[in-house]
Amino acid sequence: VERSRQGGAASAPACLVLAPSAAAVTQATQEARALLDDASLRVVPVSAIDRARRVLAMGPVAVAVATPSDLAALRRAGAISV
C-alpha cells in the first residue's frame, strides 16, 4: 500500500477489483471494507471519474474497485497505474 503515489506518479492501488456494473462496484466496495476491517486501509470505489481522481491523489489506496470502462478512463487520464 505504501508504494502508492510515490514521486508524483499515478496512483497504484495494492489491489484492483473489477466489477461488471456501478451497482456491483458499490457492493464490492462495501464487502472489501468489511473484510479488511481496518480504517487505515483505503478502499476506493471508482464510479465517478473526477471524484475518483481526487480520492486516488489523496494518498495510498489498498483496494480500488472499478468497472472496466471506468478503469480505462482513469488510465487514459493518467490518474491510476496498474
Side-chain angles (χ1 to χ4, degrees), residues 13-64:
C15 176
L16 176 63
V17 177
L18 292 179
S21 67
V25 167
T26 301
Q27 183 178 5
T29 299
Q30 292 170 347
E31 292 296 327
R33 286 180 177 147
L35 289 170
L36 288 174
D37 195 29
D38 184 344
S40 69
L41 297 175
R42 294 177 59 223
V43 179
V44 176
V46 176
S47 55
I49 301 303
D50 291 333
R51 180 183 176 281
R53 288 180 72 172
R54 288 191 306 272
V55 172
L56 288 167
M58 291 171 56
V61 173
V63 180

